[in-house]
Amino acid sequence: MIELASVSKVFLGKRTVTALENVDLSISRGEMVSIVGPSGSGKSTLLNLIGGLDTASSGEIEIDGRRLSGLSDDELTRLRRDKIGFIFQFFNLLPTLTCQENVSIPLHLRGWPKKKIEERANELLNLVGLSPRREHLPDELSGGERQRCAIARALSVYPPVLLADEPTGNLDTHTGAEILALIRDLHERLGSTVLIVTHDIHVAESCARLVALRDGRIEEDRAGRLKYGVPGVPIHDPAETH
Amino acid sequence: MILLKLISWPYVRQHLPRWLLTIAGIVLGVAVFVGIHTANQSVVYAFHQTVDRIAGSTQLQISAGETGFDETVLDHVQAVPEVRVAVPVIEAVVSTGVQGQGNLLILGVDMTGDRSLRDYDLESSGADDDIDDPLVFLAQPDSLMVTDTYARENHLGPGAKVPMSTMDGQKLFTIRGIMKSGGLSSAFGGNLAVMDVYAAQKVFGRGRKFDRIDLALKDGANLEDVRAKLKTLLGTGFQVQVPSARAQQFDSISRVYTLTANVTSVFALFIGMFIIYNTFQIAVTQRRTEIGILRALGATRRQIRTLFLGESVVAGLFGSILGLLAGIAIARGMTGYIASLLGEIFGIAQKADEISTNPALMTFAVVLGVITSVVAAVIPARSAARVDPVQALQKGKYQQLSAGENRARRIAALIIAILAAACLLFERYRIFFYVGDALAVLAALLLTPTFALLLARALRPLLRWMRPVEGTLAADSLLQAPRRTSGAVAALMLSLALVVALGGLTRASYDSIFGWLTVALNPDLFVSPSQSLTQRDFRFPESMGAQLRAIPGIGEVQLVRDARIEIQGKPTMFVAADIADLRRHATLPPVAGNTEEMFRLASQGKAVLASENFALLNGFKLGDVVDIPSPSGMLHLPIAGIVTDYSDEQGSLLVDRALYKRFWNDSTVNIFRIYLAPGAAEADVKRRILDTFGNQRRLFVLTNRDVRRYILRLTDQWFGITYVQIAVAVLVAVLGIVNTLTVSITDRRRELGVLQAVGGLRNQVRGTIWLEALAVGTVGLILGLALGALQLYYSLHISAEDMAGLRLRYEYPYPIALWLLPGILLVAFLSAIAPAETAVRGSLVEALEYE
């Protein structure tokens, strides 16, 4: 589903920074993978490259059989539209739009008919348990609800790939656990390939596969150690974090 | 100062394009201010210089408006014991007909006495004559002296023959002297020629009259005493003035023009203020984290306020200096144009090729630019001082520095609007009228955010219907940040209100002038000694009237003499014609008065007819008595009728020719108005006139069509300044939109990034910026067209009562509004192109991380 071959990313400036160096990674359809590493290890850069938000300095990236190198900006956008859903740490909801409108944006951008958009938006809000809040503005929602809304938006066309950048980073522990359970649930029900960038080792260990980065290189690539079968159960013991 | 260096300078460097846009408002305002004033002053200064240089050591000048006076007056003046020397002068401006040389000022003087007043400082004498002997110069009536500049530019040497069109046909003049540079020679930009005064009488058809007497007093004589004595001696029809007073007439005549120019430049600065306000307000919002850090580190509110005000001083200073340089460049381009415009419209020709920069004006412009900038930054600086450091330092938290909409402002606006309406009740006191206008604009400005918000709300469904995502986001951008857009909307509103008001005024003026041309200006042909009808330096003898009447095909000839004379201290156009003749062709009903009665009284020399603009500008009503100074004494004539007449911008008085001849002892004619006999062909009659007089007289035969075209051309030139105002207004509005959008895309960087991340194509992102620009344009357009309707009312009144004296019908300029609709939307769209490109070119990753 996702293939990276010798991918490097170098930021040129007064000081040249190599964010990723010769990274090879292969992720199969339906996998749930966490990417961990200290700050500056290149995990967000990796996610941005896979999501087509940025372009690699060298190497090849393939998403669902489609090579990203050589694609124009609009072609990259179309690929994102159809194959990738994004979940951000700070939700990135548009503050003036209601929950339903936020979820509808990607569908409008595709030019779907109004009725179909409405049906899909309701379906998605139902899926993330946010139907009663459909007419609320982001400001009127709790952190967890905002992230649910963002997840519904990311799922708008049920993309095969879901990329989450610190999805629980801006939430309290309990809400974070809820969101992670939701992502896990959706992953199981929809069969999407999920990549989660996280600082939280418990979130990382709860995924089937864990990829650890350090200084732009893959340091470790192994199976996760924690298994949770029941949604809504905390991923880690709050006492442990203190 | 250190804060400016450490905090402001890095921000400016980082946001250089926006800063340049901000100061562009000041640059434009100061440039227009300096440009128009410098050009205007250069023309006025050139006129003053010419008057001063021609005056030489003249202490007093005697004149009788433009009508001239009999030669005998000179004897009376010379007989006054305190007068050391008194010399006659005839002064006229003629077209040289030489490409690039423009006009030539001809000074007719009596060389025997004149050299004690003026220094002719001649170069070595000519080949065959000795100019040092004035009698030689006098004895030969074809003698001409020119300046060395003129001689050099036209390759003329002593003895050269110069053809000149005189009232007696084409004559050859011989150059018998070349004046050295400096002093008299530099008058009228060096385009000066001197001839004998008696030769000048013939050349210009003056008869036995002089235009002026220049005199100097004996040592010890008191100027004021002699002036009073001469006034008593000559009577009220004469002006006895120091030479500089003549230059003041120029200022008086060009007053309206200067006023209009002032309004344009101040307006440009005023609108520029909104752009600066806008940018500073946004800068405060964007730099709240920085302000929070400074506050946390111990900066006082006062220091923060001073920091922002300091930035505004630097921006104002920088913008003003750039504006100054641009203004001087504008003045260089405009001076010649203004000189010829004033010459054409007011008949006061002036050659002004060089600009005169006035240090006081330059300093004033810089101070004005800085003050404008500081005033615009006061509210944003206050907002900056109010930033709460705790909220500012919280990531993702946005402190609402102002709701952008508040009740207190709406109430204040409402009270001001009521006061503005109340002022209209007392509009006969002009101060109330002007205060009312200012209050109306202020109320509109205070209500701009409210109206902008309401309109943006109303536009949202439409934009959403057009483009569900892009349209909604564009409308929300306006709703979310009213402060960001209200400055640009206010600037656009003011600009468009000005366009509507001036456009409406111009249109109404054109309609009235066109109506008058069609109905009242009905002679078939005009015979004039000059191609320009406002030029009155050449005159025909009365006898030509009879010769014209004898030409087959001519049905009727009207003899018209017009001249500017001083009435109540103001130069006023005085027209003398046979009223009974005029009556036969008068088709336009009077504005006030009974048609039969007014023509009867005026034709008997018992009354005067006043143009409507004369009455309005000078406060005269039907029946009021006008005191008219004539060389034969003061005339007290009642106004028997007020008529529509646009022949002079300052207004005119019409008297019967017989009365004029009697009191001014002047039978010369400026223009013959000719009506053709039934069945006569215009072209045939024109040819016959030229055949009859072509070789003996300098004359031009203009058809009715020519005259209409000429008047409409003058009207176009006059309204040329209106177009400058409109261009400045639109340019400033464009700057406002570009500024707002530049700020908007910075503010919405993350939003636009999200849009792209969830599948928005570049064109869809561009679309939202374009739609935002169109929404700003639409809101500004609606408010501007509405405020314009109000401003048109004020403009028509100001024009009627204080400027041109034209009472024009209120008619909303719908065609202009219809043009503005696509025009402004197109301008708004064009303004959005660059910001939209910036929005799609940035890094998506940075946009999503942007805080």
Side-chain angles (χ1 to χ4, degrees):
Chain A
M1 185 71 204
I2 301 170
E3 297 289 339
L4 279 81
S6 303
V7 170
S8 296
K9 177 69 184 176
V10 179
F11 292 103
L12 300 170
K14 280 184 187 165
R15 198 167 60 88
T16 302
V17 177
T18 305
L20 285 178
E21 201 177 345
N22 287 323
V23 171
D24 293 297
L25 183 65
S26 177
I27 298 168
S28 309
R29 188 179 298 273
E31 263 194 287
M32 184 161 171
V33 182
S34 66
I35 299 170
V36 292
S39 287
S41 58
K43 50 190 191 304
S44 287
T45 305
L46 182 65
L47 202 72
N48 290 335
L49 293 180
I50 294 171
L53 295 175
D54 207 349
T55 49
S57 306
S58 63
E60 283 296 342
I61 303 172
E62 258 185 44
I63 306 289
D64 204 13
R66 183 104 192 257
R67 276 191 176 192
L68 301 192
S69 59
L71 293 185
S72 71
D73 189 79
D74 278 352
E75 284 167 335
L76 269 178
T77 306
R78 285 202 174 86
L79 183 103
R80 271 201 304 274
R81 252 186 199 183
D82 299 331
K83 305 208 179 284
I84 299 163
F86 280 100
I87 303 166
F88 303 98
Q89 180 182 359
F90 290 104
F91 327 126
N92 280 339
L93 295 173
L94 300 184
T96 58
L97 304 184
T98 63
C99 231
Q100 188 174 21
E101 286 170 335
N102 263 295
V103 174
S104 307
I105 293 175
L107 307 171
H108 278 298
L109 291 170
R110 281 174 177 80
W112 280 25
K114 209 175 157 192
K115 195 163 183 310
K116 200 174 159 194
I117 291 174
E118 209 171 303
E119 283 169 8
R120 172 62 65 88
N122 285 335
E123 182 185 307
L124 289 165
L125 287 171
N126 237 344
L127 195 66
V128 299
L130 217 54
S131 289
R133 301 288 205 175
R134 92 166 34 96
E135 292 306 322
H136 287 245
L137 291 171
D139 267 357
E140 299 160 352
L141 303 176
S142 70
E145 286 171 330
R146 285 183 208 181
Q147 196 58 297
R148 279 169 190 273
C149 183
I151 292 170
R153 182 181 65 188
L155 292 173
S156 58
V157 287
Y158 299 119
V161 178
L162 209 55
L163 303 178
D165 190 359
E166 301 272 9
T168 59
N170 201 31
L171 302 170
D172 62 66
T173 315
H174 182 75
T175 316
E178 276 181 10
I179 290 299
L180 191 65
L182 175 66
I183 293 173
R184 183 188 306 286
D185 180 47
L186 293 171
H187 161 69
E188 282 165 9
R189 282 161 65 183
L190 304 173
S192 322
T193 308
V194 178
L195 249 80
I196 301 176
V197 162
T198 182
H199 265 107
D200 188 332
I201 194 64
H202 292 89
V203 173
E205 292 289 8
S206 75
C207 294
R209 182 176 163 192
L210 181 148
V211 175
L213 289 177
R214 182 175 289 275
D215 297 333
R217 293 165 178 273
I218 294 178
E219 194 182 49
E220 195 181 359
D221 187 350
R222 60 171 171 80
R225 288 174 188 149
L226 300 174
K227 301 290 173 196
Y228 294 91
V230 187
V233 175
I235 305 160
H236 56 90
D237 181 357
E240 213 176 306
T241 51
H242 294 293
Chain B
M1 200 62 193
I2 191 71
L3 282 182
L4 273 177
K5 192 182 164 194
L6 288 177
I7 308 295
S8 307
W9 176 235
Y11 181 81
V12 170
R13 264 194 324 198
Q14 210 183 340
H15 300 90
L16 202 59
R18 192 187 312 157
W19 265 86
L20 292 177
L21 272 177
T22 309
I23 64 163
I26 289 286
V27 173
L28 196 68
V30 171
V32 173
F33 182 82
V34 171
I36 292 182
H37 273 83
T38 304
N40 230 12
Q41 274 195 351
S42 302
V43 178
V44 172
Y45 179 73
F47 188 80
H48 282 241
Q49 285 281 87
T50 298
V51 166
D52 189 45
R53 284 170 183 165
I54 286 178
S57 55
T58 300
Q59 288 172 283
L60 284 173
Q61 292 183 326
I62 298 168
S63 61
E66 287 176 1
T67 58
F69 46 81
D70 289 338
E71 288 176 358
T72 51
V73 176
L74 182 63
D75 301 333
H76 297 308
V77 174
Q78 282 173 337
V80 173
E82 291 90 342
V83 172
R84 177 171 62 83
V85 56
V87 292
V89 178
I90 283 180
E91 200 177 299
V93 176
V94 297
S95 166
T96 53
V98 180
Q99 187 72 30
Q101 276 304 316
N103 293 332
L104 183 67
L105 176 69
I106 300 204
L107 205 60
V109 296
D110 182 349
M111 283 300 278
T112 46
D114 213 87
R115 298 185 83 173
S116 60
L117 281 184
R118 279 172 269 266
D119 180 12
Y120 288 94
D121 198 11
L122 298 167
E123 287 184 353
S124 57
S125 57
D128 55 349
D129 299 295
D130 185 7
I131 195 69
D132 284 336
D133 181 358
L135 291 175
V136 175
F137 192 81
L138 277 178
Q140 291 161 301
D142 66 336
S143 297
L144 202 64
M145 279 198 294
V146 293
T147 63
D148 65 342
T149 320
Y150 191 76
R152 209 171 41 246
E153 282 176 2
N154 293 284
H155 313 292
L156 299 170
K161 304 282 183 197
V162 179
M164 204 181 288
S165 162
T166 76
M167 290 317 294
D168 294 331
Q170 191 87 349
K171 301 273 184 216
L172 273 181
F173 285 79
T174 306
I175 294 183
R176 295 207 164 86
I178 293 176
M179 295 177 278
K180 284 182 190 164
S181 302
L184 178 66
S185 260
S186 50
F188 209 71
N191 277 18
L192 178 83
V194 176
M195 64 163 64
D196 176 52
V197 71
Y198 298 101
Q201 280 180 333
K202 277 181 170 299
V203 168
F204 300 110
R206 295 289 200 274
R208 307 287 292 174
K209 281 175 172 278
F210 297 133
D211 287 354
R212 206 173 69 219
I213 293 171
D214 286 2
L215 61 92
L217 307 183
K218 285 184 180 155
D219 288 342
N222 180 288
L223 187 88
E224 275 310 310
D225 292 346
V226 179
R227 189 168 167 236
K229 191 172 178 179
L230 284 168
K231 275 185 90 97
T232 316
L233 174 77
L234 299 171
T236 48
F238 290 85
Q239 289 91 48
V240 183
Q241 295 164 321
V242 291
S244 60
R246 238 185 108 212
Q248 281 160 16
Q249 278 192 12
F250 182 93
D251 301 352
S252 161
I253 291 170
S254 59
R255 182 187 63 93
V256 174
Y257 176 80
T258 310
L259 191 67
T260 316
N262 284 351
V263 170
T264 308
S265 45
V266 172
F267 185 80
L269 265 179
F270 189 57
I271 299 185
M273 198 160 85
F274 287 91
I275 297 180
I276 297 169
Y277 163 80
N278 221 22
T279 320
F280 271 99
Q281 193 63 38
I282 304 311
V284 171
T285 314
Q286 288 185 333
R287 291 161 69 184
R288 67 200 182 288
T289 312
E290 190 180 290
I291 298 168
I293 293 170
L294 282 176
R295 292 275 288 125
L297 292 175
T300 61
R301 286 187 193 280
R302 193 192 168 90
Q303 282 174 314
I304 299 293
R305 195 166 47 233
T306 311
L307 176 69
F308 276 86
L309 290 177
E311 281 183 24
S312 73
V313 170
V314 174
L317 202 63
F318 191 55
S320 301
I321 291 168
L322 284 181
L324 210 65
L325 299 175
I328 292 170
I330 291 174
R332 280 189 202 287
M334 273 182 81
T335 304
Y337 170 77
I338 292 181
S340 74
L341 175 76
L342 293 179
E344 284 265 34
I345 293 178
F346 302 110
I348 36 173
Q350 184 49 52
K351 186 176 162 64
D353 295 331
E354 286 178 12
I355 62 157
S356 61
T357 48
N358 177 354
L361 174 79
M362 303 289 149
T363 313
F364 181 68
V366 171
V367 171
L368 198 64
V370 173
I371 289 176
T372 307
S373 180
V374 172
V375 167
V378 164
I379 297 177
R382 202 181 56 185
S383 301
R386 285 180 182 173
V387 165
D388 177 354
V390 178
Q391 286 195 50
L393 292 173
Q394 280 178 329
K395 205 177 181 186
K397 273 253 175 176
Y398 230 80
Q399 185 193 354
Q400 195 77 12
L401 289 174
S402 162
E405 242 291 79
N406 68 56
R407 207 174 136 81
R409 198 186 51 232
R410 282 202 304 268
I411 293 171
L414 209 65
I415 294 169
I416 291 171
I418 293 168
L419 284 175
C423 281
L424 286 180
L425 298 174
F426 304 98
E427 70 175 47
R428 62 182 178 281
Y429 305 109
R430 301 309 293 158
I431 183 75
F432 280 104
F433 185 79
Y434 282 95
V435 168
D437 188 9
L439 289 178
V441 172
L442 184 62
L445 285 174
L446 288 174
L447 285 173
T448 300
T450 310
F451 284 136
L453 213 58
L454 291 174
L455 286 170
R457 255 181 222 147
L459 279 176
R460 194 177 189 265
L462 176 72
L463 290 170
R464 190 192 161 101
W465 172 77
M466 284 166 67
R467 311 290 306 171
V469 178
E470 301 96 304
T472 310
L473 292 181
D476 286 347
S477 173
L478 303 193
L479 292 169
Q480 227 183 338
R483 284 231 162 157
R484 185 171 66 214
T485 41
S486 57
V489 168
L492 191 58
M493 174 184 76
L494 285 175
S495 305
L496 295 179
L498 180 84
V499 173
V500 169
L502 288 178
L505 185 66
T506 309
R507 197 162 161 260
S509 305
Y510 270 108
D511 284 353
S512 297
I513 292 170
F514 203 76
W516 168 72
L517 284 176
T518 313
V519 180
L521 200 73
N522 50 19
D524 300 305
L525 294 172
F526 296 80
V527 176
S528 158
S530 160
Q531 248 173 330
S532 153
L533 293 180
T534 49
Q535 252 273 26
R536 295 176 291 276
D537 282 331
F538 290 92
R539 284 164 221 162
F540 294 121
E542 188 175 32
S543 57
M544 233 179 96
Q547 290 173 283
L548 280 167
R549 282 193 191 97
I551 292 174
I554 290 185
E556 190 180 329
V557 179
Q558 293 177 354
L559 285 60
V560 180
R561 168 81 172 103
D562 53 6
R564 227 180 265 282
I565 61 169
E566 269 200 20
I567 292 181
Q568 294 186 343
K570 283 188 198 169
T572 305
M573 186 55 71
F574 195 61
V575 184
D578 191 330
I579 301 283
D581 286 350
L582 290 185
R583 169 73 191 103
R584 276 199 293 281
H585 298 277
T587 45
L588 210 60
V591 178
N594 175 283
T595 310
E596 292 308 321
E597 183 73 357
M598 72 179 196
F599 281 118
R600 188 180 60 76
L601 288 170
S603 64
Q604 291 168 356
K606 291 178 182 166
V608 65
L609 301 182
S611 72
E612 190 187 16
N613 50 345
F614 172 84
L616 281 170
L617 289 175
N618 298 287
F620 280 102
K621 293 189 296 295
L622 189 70
D624 286 352
V625 173
V626 190
D627 298 329
I628 305 165
S630 85
S632 312
M634 188 67 89
L635 275 166
H636 307 281
L637 293 173
I639 295 176
I642 296 175
V643 295
T644 306
D645 175 30
Y646 299 124
S647 53
D648 191 75
E649 201 252 353
Q650 305 253 296
S652 54
L653 284 176
L654 178 66
V655 291
D656 192 66
R657 187 167 161 78
L659 178 98
Y660 175 77
K661 277 163 68 179
R662 195 163 74 243
F663 280 86
W664 275 263
N665 191 26
D666 175 15
S667 62
T668 58
V669 174
N670 290 104
I671 292 168
F672 291 103
R673 290 156 57 108
I674 291 171
Y675 292 90
L676 299 182
E682 186 186 89
D684 292 344
V685 175
K686 181 175 173 176
R687 189 175 37 76
R688 277 180 219 136
I689 296 172
L690 288 172
D691 287 349
T692 309
F693 296 104
N695 294 324
Q696 318 159 25
R697 295 246 177 260
R698 170 198 160 91
L699 62 79
F700 297 87
V701 183
L702 308 170
T703 64
N704 191 294
R705 256 187 335 277
D706 295 336
V707 172
R708 274 183 207 204
R709 241 194 328 260
Y710 173 79
I711 293 174
L712 289 175
R713 186 171 62 82
L714 284 193
T715 315
D716 283 343
Q717 283 187 346
W718 173 251
F719 285 115
I721 192 158
T722 307
Y723 303 127
V724 173
Q725 281 176 315
I726 290 173
V728 168
V730 172
L731 197 57
V732 176
V734 168
L735 281 177
I737 296 179
V738 173
N739 199 3
T740 298
L741 292 178
T742 309
V743 173
S744 169
I745 57 162
T746 314
D747 276 4
R748 296 168 63 200
R749 203 168 158 199
R750 184 193 282 232
E751 179 183 304
L752 298 173
V754 171
L755 198 64
Q756 282 178 284
V758 300
L761 300 173
R762 281 190 168 188
N763 261 348
Q764 290 173 313
V765 176
R766 285 186 188 107
T768 185
I769 308 289
W770 295 340
L771 285 172
E772 184 179 348
L774 291 179
V776 171
T778 307
V779 172
L781 198 60
I782 293 170
L783 295 180
L785 294 182
L787 184 64
L790 190 66
Q791 278 308 304
L792 177 59
Y793 170 81
Y794 284 103
S795 304
L796 289 175
H797 272 260
I798 292 169
S799 161
E801 271 134 68
D802 301 318
M803 287 178 83
L806 299 182
R807 201 183 285 285
L808 303 166
R809 206 154 51 89
Y810 185 98
E811 199 181 330
Y812 192 80
Y814 289 108
I816 292 175
L818 283 178
W819 270 108
L820 282 175
L821 205 69
I824 291 298
L825 292 183
L826 180 69
V827 164
F829 172 72
L830 294 176
S831 311
I833 291 177
E837 286 314 301
T838 314
V840 296
R841 303 272 168 214
S843 156
L844 206 49
V845 174
E846 281 175 26
L848 291 167
E849 285 169 355
Y850 180 71
E851 187 59 45

